[in-house]
Amino acid sequence: SRGKLQLLACPLRGEGGLVERVVGIFIDVTEAEAMRASLAESEARLRLIFENAPYAIVVSRVSDGSFLEANPVFLRVAGCTREQLPHIPPARFEGYTEEAALAWRRKAYEQGGIRGQEGTSLRPDGSKRHILFSSAPINVGGEPCLLSISIDVTDRKLMELALKESEEKYRAIFNNAPI
Protein backbone atom coordinates (compact mmCIF):
# COMPACT_ATOMS: atom_id res chain seq x y z
CA SER A 1 0.00 0.00 0.00
CA ARG A 2 1.07 3.53 -0.64
CA GLY A 3 1.64 5.91 2.20
CA LYS A 4 1.52 9.66 2.42
CA LEU A 5 4.66 11.68 2.97
CA GLN A 6 5.03 15.26 4.09
CA LEU A 7 8.08 17.31 3.11
CA LEU A 8 9.49 19.82 5.52
CA ALA A 9 12.12 22.03 3.89
CA CYS A 10 14.25 24.91 5.02
CA PRO A 11 16.34 27.13 2.72
CA LEU A 12 19.96 27.77 3.65
CA ARG A 13 21.07 31.23 2.60
CA GLY A 14 24.54 32.39 1.79
CA GLU A 15 26.28 35.64 2.65
CA GLY A 16 24.32 37.64 0.09
CA GLY A 17 20.99 36.31 1.35
CA LEU A 18 20.54 34.11 -1.68
CA VAL A 19 19.39 30.54 -1.24
CA GLU A 20 22.39 28.29 -1.76
CA ARG A 21 20.94 25.00 -0.57
CA VAL A 22 17.74 23.47 0.74
CA VAL A 23 17.65 21.01 3.61
CA GLY A 24 14.58 18.84 3.87
CA ILE A 25 13.12 15.86 5.58
CA PHE A 26 10.29 13.56 4.58
CA ILE A 27 7.88 12.44 7.29
CA ASP A 28 5.52 9.51 6.85
CA VAL A 29 2.09 10.90 7.86
CA THR A 30 0.07 7.90 6.64
CA GLU A 31 -0.92 6.77 10.13
CA ALA A 32 -1.69 10.30 11.33
CA GLU A 33 -3.92 10.90 8.28
CA ALA A 34 -5.76 7.61 8.88
CA MET A 35 -6.28 8.52 12.53
CA ARG A 36 -7.53 11.99 11.56
CA ALA A 37 -10.02 10.46 9.09
CA SER A 38 -11.18 7.92 11.68
CA LEU A 39 -11.66 10.68 14.27
CA ALA A 40 -13.67 12.79 11.79
CA GLU A 41 -15.86 9.77 11.01
CA SER A 42 -16.41 9.08 14.71
CA GLU A 43 -17.28 12.73 15.38
CA ALA A 44 -19.77 12.71 12.51
CA ARG A 45 -21.48 9.58 13.94
CA LEU A 46 -21.70 11.09 17.42
CA ARG A 47 -23.01 14.39 16.02
CA LEU A 48 -25.71 12.44 14.15
CA ILE A 49 -26.74 10.67 17.37
CA PHE A 50 -26.70 13.94 19.33
CA GLU A 51 -28.82 15.81 16.80
CA ASN A 52 -31.34 13.00 16.18
CA ALA A 53 -31.81 11.34 19.56
CA PRO A 54 -35.41 11.39 20.84
CA TYR A 55 -34.11 12.56 24.23
CA ALA A 56 -33.18 16.01 25.50
CA ILE A 57 -29.37 16.23 25.56
CA VAL A 58 -27.40 19.17 26.93
CA VAL A 59 -23.80 19.96 27.88
CA SER A 60 -23.44 22.30 30.84
CA ARG A 61 -20.54 23.75 32.76
CA VAL A 62 -20.11 22.48 36.33
CA SER A 63 -18.86 25.85 37.60
CA ASP A 64 -21.94 27.91 36.74
CA GLY A 65 -24.39 25.51 35.08
CA SER A 66 -24.44 27.48 31.85
CA PHE A 67 -25.49 25.52 28.81
CA LEU A 68 -22.78 25.11 26.18
CA GLU A 69 -24.56 22.89 23.70
CA ALA A 70 -27.96 21.26 23.30
CA ASN A 71 -29.76 19.06 20.82
CA PRO A 72 -33.04 20.01 19.08
CA VAL A 73 -35.20 18.14 21.63
CA PHE A 74 -33.71 20.09 24.54
CA LEU A 75 -34.12 23.36 22.65
CA ARG A 76 -37.78 22.54 21.94
CA VAL A 77 -38.46 21.59 25.58
CA ALA A 78 -36.61 24.68 26.80
CA GLY A 79 -38.45 26.90 24.34
CA CYS A 80 -35.30 28.54 23.08
CA THR A 81 -32.89 28.71 20.16
CA ARG A 82 -29.22 27.73 20.09
CA GLU A 83 -28.33 31.42 20.17
CA GLN A 84 -30.40 31.98 23.34
CA LEU A 85 -29.03 28.87 25.09
CA PRO A 86 -26.01 30.49 26.81
CA HIS A 87 -28.25 33.20 28.29
CA ILE A 88 -30.81 30.89 29.94
CA PRO A 89 -30.37 30.58 33.71
CA PRO A 90 -29.95 26.87 34.59
CA ALA A 91 -32.01 27.30 37.76
CA ARG A 92 -35.01 27.83 35.48
CA PHE A 93 -35.01 24.07 34.81
CA GLU A 94 -33.54 22.69 37.99
CA GLY A 95 -35.82 24.32 40.53
CA TYR A 96 -32.92 24.62 42.97
CA THR A 97 -31.22 27.60 44.57
CA GLU A 98 -27.94 28.50 42.86
CA GLU A 99 -25.97 27.05 45.79
CA ALA A 100 -27.88 23.76 45.81
CA ALA A 101 -27.58 23.44 42.04
CA LEU A 102 -23.81 24.03 42.17
CA ALA A 103 -23.42 21.44 44.94
CA TRP A 104 -25.45 18.92 42.89
CA ARG A 105 -23.38 19.53 39.73
CA ARG A 106 -20.10 19.19 41.61
CA LYS A 107 -21.24 15.97 43.28
CA ALA A 108 -22.43 14.51 39.95
CA TYR A 109 -19.10 15.37 38.33
CA GLU A 110 -16.91 14.13 41.18
CA GLN A 111 -18.72 10.81 41.66
CA GLY A 112 -18.48 9.97 37.97
CA GLY A 113 -22.02 10.87 36.98
CA ILE A 114 -25.57 9.93 37.81
CA ARG A 115 -27.51 7.21 36.00
CA GLY A 116 -31.27 6.72 35.73
CA GLN A 117 -32.23 9.37 38.28
CA GLU A 118 -35.84 10.51 38.54
CA GLY A 119 -36.54 14.18 39.09
CA THR A 120 -38.65 17.12 38.06
CA SER A 121 -37.94 19.81 35.54
CA LEU A 122 -39.51 23.24 35.27
CA ARG A 123 -40.80 24.24 31.84
CA PRO A 124 -40.75 27.81 30.52
CA ASP A 125 -44.49 28.06 31.31
CA GLY A 126 -43.77 27.17 34.96
CA SER A 127 -45.23 23.66 34.78
CA LYS A 128 -43.35 20.78 36.37
CA ARG A 129 -42.62 17.64 34.40
CA HIS A 130 -41.30 14.32 35.68
CA ILE A 131 -38.05 13.30 34.00
CA LEU A 132 -35.68 10.38 34.00
CA PHE A 133 -32.12 11.57 33.48
CA SER A 134 -28.49 10.64 33.48
CA SER A 135 -25.47 12.95 33.66
CA ALA A 136 -21.90 12.02 32.84
CA PRO A 137 -18.75 14.07 33.49
CA ILE A 138 -16.90 15.36 30.45
CA ASN A 139 -14.37 18.09 29.80
CA VAL A 140 -14.90 20.79 27.19
CA GLY A 141 -11.87 22.90 26.46
CA GLY A 142 -10.29 21.61 29.67
CA GLU A 143 -13.27 22.74 31.76
CA PRO A 144 -15.37 20.32 33.86
CA CYS A 145 -18.82 19.84 32.33
CA LEU A 146 -21.76 17.46 32.47
CA LEU A 147 -23.39 15.74 29.52
CA SER A 148 -27.00 15.23 30.58
CA ILE A 149 -29.69 13.21 28.86
CA SER A 150 -33.32 13.26 29.94
CA ILE A 151 -36.69 11.98 28.87
CA ASP A 152 -40.07 13.25 30.00
CA VAL A 153 -41.88 10.48 31.89
CA THR A 154 -44.80 12.61 33.12
CA ASP A 155 -47.41 10.66 31.15
CA ARG A 156 -46.04 7.36 32.49
CA LYS A 157 -46.13 8.73 36.05
CA LEU A 158 -49.74 9.88 35.59
CA MET A 159 -50.72 6.45 34.25
CA GLU A 160 -49.01 4.74 37.20
CA LEU A 161 -50.86 7.03 39.61
CA ALA A 162 -54.20 6.39 37.87
CA LEU A 163 -53.56 2.63 37.97
CA LYS A 164 -52.66 2.77 41.66
CA GLU A 165 -55.81 4.78 42.46
CA SER A 166 -57.91 2.35 40.43
CA GLU A 167 -56.38 -0.65 42.23
CA GLU A 168 -57.02 0.99 45.61
CA LYS A 169 -60.62 1.78 44.62
CA TYR A 170 -61.35 -1.78 43.51
CA ARG A 171 -59.49 -3.23 46.49
CA ALA A 172 -61.69 -1.12 48.80
CA ILE A 173 -64.83 -2.27 46.95
CA PHE A 174 -63.73 -5.92 47.18
CA ASN A 175 -62.72 -5.64 50.84
CA ASN A 176 -66.01 -3.96 51.78
CA ALA A 177 -68.25 -6.23 49.73
CA PRO A 178 -70.63 -8.34 51.81
CA ILE A 179 -69.74 -11.99 51.41
Side-chain angles (χ1 to χ4, degrees):
S1 77
R2 295 176 54 148
K4 186 172 183 179
L5 298 177
Q6 181 178 18
L7 171 64
L8 299 176
C10 180
L12 297 177
R13 301 185 185 278
E15 289 182 22
L18 296 174
V19 176
E20 292 182 355
R21 287 179 259 162
V22 175
V23 175
I25 184 170
F26 283 100
I27 301 172
D28 184 350
V29 293
T30 308
E31 191 174 314
E33 289 289 320
M35 289 174 61
R36 194 171 296 124
S38 177
L39 179 61
E41 197 175 287
S42 177
E43 286 176 351
R45 276 193 312 273
L46 290 174
R47 173 60 52 190
L48 195 63
I49 292 168
F50 184 83
E51 293 296 329
N52 293 288
Y55 313 105
I57 304 174
V58 65
V59 175
S60 59
R61 240 189 311 254
V62 171
S63 62
D64 62 4
S66 62
F67 302 118
L68 304 179
E69 193 165 358
N71 74 342
V73 174
F74 183 89
L75 295 173
R76 180 178 46 77
V77 168
C80 69
T81 65
R82 258 183 230 289
E83 294 74 28
Q84 295 168 324
L85 191 64
H87 309 290
I88 295 175
R92 180 178 115 182
F93 300 104
E94 298 165 342
Y96 295 117
T97 64
E98 290 293 330
E99 296 80 23
L102 175 60
W104 183 91
R105 289 190 305 270
R106 283 183 178 158
K107 181 180 177 184
Y109 186 85
E110 290 166 2
Q111 72 182 25
I114 293 174
R115 312 273 183 284
Q117 180 79 39
E118 288 194 25
T120 56
S121 176
L122 298 175
R123 294 295 191 251
D125 65 3
S127 65
K128 283 188 177 184
R129 303 294 289 181
H130 295 278
I131 59 169
L132 181 64
F133 70 96
S134 294
S135 293
I138 62 170
N139 286 301
V140 176
E143 191 166 7
C145 295
L146 290 170
L147 170 70
S148 299
I149 302 171
S150 66
I151 185 166
D152 188 328
V153 294
T154 303
D155 293 339
R156 185 189 84 193
K157 285 285 203 183
L158 292 173
M159 285 189 289
E160 288 172 356
L161 181 61
L163 179 61
K164 181 179 177 187
E165 288 173 353
S166 175
E167 287 174 346
E168 288 173 357
K169 176 182 164 185
Y170 287 109
R171 184 176 299 113
I173 290 170
F174 179 77
N175 289 338
N176 294 318
I179 297 186

